């Protein structure tokens, strides 16, 4: 059976069921496992000796929370992460995740709508972790992210995107042409319809989907190797493997 690709509606439904009485997960648990998968994906493709400086770009929602968790784990792995989060989430969970990063001596760029600090950070980075927009993203891209996405692209640095490349529609992909074109994509839970057009290295993470839910939604998930939090998916037709 083929791996199921999710529509925006189905992705939202699965997310809600994971955290309601049916799934019984807390958002902290899911974010921790998702962020660990993000860090493991980046470390798998971009080794710490050659790509030590990671710029972790975080949006204001749950996607940004995944990025903060990933930054902490990357610090634990020996990388030197820097966090760019121009619109920090106001919820308690984001403040706690930020504090955890502070405790790891991970630098966070002072939040600002000015993208010059981002430009400066890009000049001192080896690889980008894109945790800006997730599957609930609705265009248009608003400030300061509208100015930031072109800067990330123009930097020429390799990009690892979380769940769906920032700026892509969850179902139509990069049809509007405003999104990032990452080298690596980590889909969480199950890949999204919009990622069918992705041509880089594609991993699946979020090793928390219970059997009951996998069966209910007919996800047909691949087997994860050993104790790994990620599994690489077969290359898309016409893609080039890094």
């Amino acid at each position: 059976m083929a791996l199921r690709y999710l529509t925006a509606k189905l992705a939202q439904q699965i997310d809600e069921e994971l955290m309601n009485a049916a799934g019984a997960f807390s958002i902290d648990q899911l974010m921790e496992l998702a962020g660990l998968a993000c860090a493991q994906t980046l470390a798998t493709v971009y080794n710490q000796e050659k790509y030590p400086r990671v710029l972790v770009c975080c949006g204001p929602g749950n996607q940004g929370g995944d990025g903060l968790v990933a930054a902490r784990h990357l610090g634990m792995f020996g990388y030197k992460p820097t966090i760019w989060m121009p619109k920090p989430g106001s919820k308690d969970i984001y403040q706690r995740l930020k504090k955890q990063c502070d405790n790891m001596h991970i630098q966070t760029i002072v939040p600002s709508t000015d993208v010059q600090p981002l430009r400066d950070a890009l000049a001192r980075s080896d690889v980008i972790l894109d945790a800006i927009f997730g599957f609930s993203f609705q265009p248009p891209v608003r400030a300061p992210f509208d100015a930031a996405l072109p800067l990330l692209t123009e930097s020429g640095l390799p990009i690892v995107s979380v769940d769906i490349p920032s700026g892509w529609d969850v179902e139509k992909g990069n049809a509007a042409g405003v999104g990032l074109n990452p080298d690596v994509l980590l889909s969480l839970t199950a890949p999204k319809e919009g990622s069918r057009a992705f041509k880089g290295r594609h991993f699946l993470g979020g090793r928390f989907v219970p059997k009951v839910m996998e069966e209910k939604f007919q996800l047909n998930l691949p087997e994860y190797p050993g104790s790994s939090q990620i599994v690489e998916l077969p290359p898309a037709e016409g893609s080039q493997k890094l």
Side-chain angles (χ1 to χ4, degrees):
M1 295 285 285
L3 174 64
R4 185 167 193 180
Y5 282 67
L6 306 181
T7 61
K9 184 178 179 182
L10 191 53
Q12 183 65 39
Q13 185 181 348
I14 292 172
D15 221 40
E16 287 171 0
E17 286 204 19
L18 281 165
M19 289 184 282
N20 69 16
F25 281 97
S26 70
I27 190 168
D28 300 61
Q29 284 178 291
L30 297 178
M31 216 170 260
E32 188 66 25
L33 290 167
L36 177 57
C38 296
Q40 198 171 89
T41 299
L42 188 143
T44 297
V45 183
Y46 299 106
N47 74 69
Q48 181 253 331
E49 289 182 5
K50 190 175 178 185
Y51 301 91
R53 302 171 301 175
V54 184
L55 182 61
V56 182
C57 298
C58 298
N62 289 349
Q63 191 88 343
D66 294 345
L68 291 174
V69 173
R72 169 164 43 83
H73 283 292
L74 286 166
M76 291 282 188
F77 294 171
Y79 289 82
K80 295 181 176 64
T82 298
I83 297 165
W84 179 71
M85 193 175 195
K87 290 188 169 183
S90 58
K91 292 180 184 174
D92 174 65
I93 186 171
Y94 303 124
Q95 294 173 23
R96 286 189 286 110
L97 290 172
K98 165 68 165 56
K99 178 64 174 173
Q100 291 164 17
C101 289
D102 293 344
N103 290 341
M104 285 290 296
H105 303 310
I106 294 170
Q107 181 195 358
T108 298
I109 296 167
V110 177
S112 166
T113 54
D114 179 11
V115 293
Q116 185 57 46
L118 172 62
R119 192 179 275 113
D120 295 341
L122 285 165
R124 303 188 302 270
S125 300
D126 302 305
V127 60
I128 296 164
L129 182 66
D130 158 37
I132 300 175
F133 300 132
F135 67 76
S136 57
F137 166 74
Q138 295 289 335
V141 180
R142 295 175 177 83
F145 302 107
D146 56 343
L149 294 188
L151 285 180
L152 299 183
T153 299
E154 290 160 15
S155 74
L157 295 174
I159 299 174
V160 178
S161 286
V162 178
D163 209 20
I164 192 85
S166 288
W168 288 34
D169 181 278
V170 71
E171 293 178 9
K172 299 173 188 170
N174 198 19
V178 297
L180 299 177
N181 285 299
D183 305 272
V184 179
L185 175 63
L186 170 71
S187 291
L188 293 169
T189 307
K192 314 305 180 287
E193 280 290 349
S195 68
R196 286 186 186 274
F198 178 66
K199 302 297 185 188
R201 285 184 73 175
H202 194 176
F203 292 80
L204 179 65
R207 195 176 181 177
F208 44 65
V209 180
K211 294 293 183 189
V212 168
M213 217 167 281
E214 181 182 351
E215 292 159 3
K216 175 181 176 179
F217 294 104
Q218 300 178 317
L219 299 179
N220 305 314
L221 299 176
E223 193 172 328
Y224 284 81
S227 57
S228 179
Q229 296 298 308
I230 57 173
V231 57
E232 187 161 7
L233 300 178
E237 204 170 311
S239 66
Q240 291 184 327
K241 188 161 181 173
L242 294 177

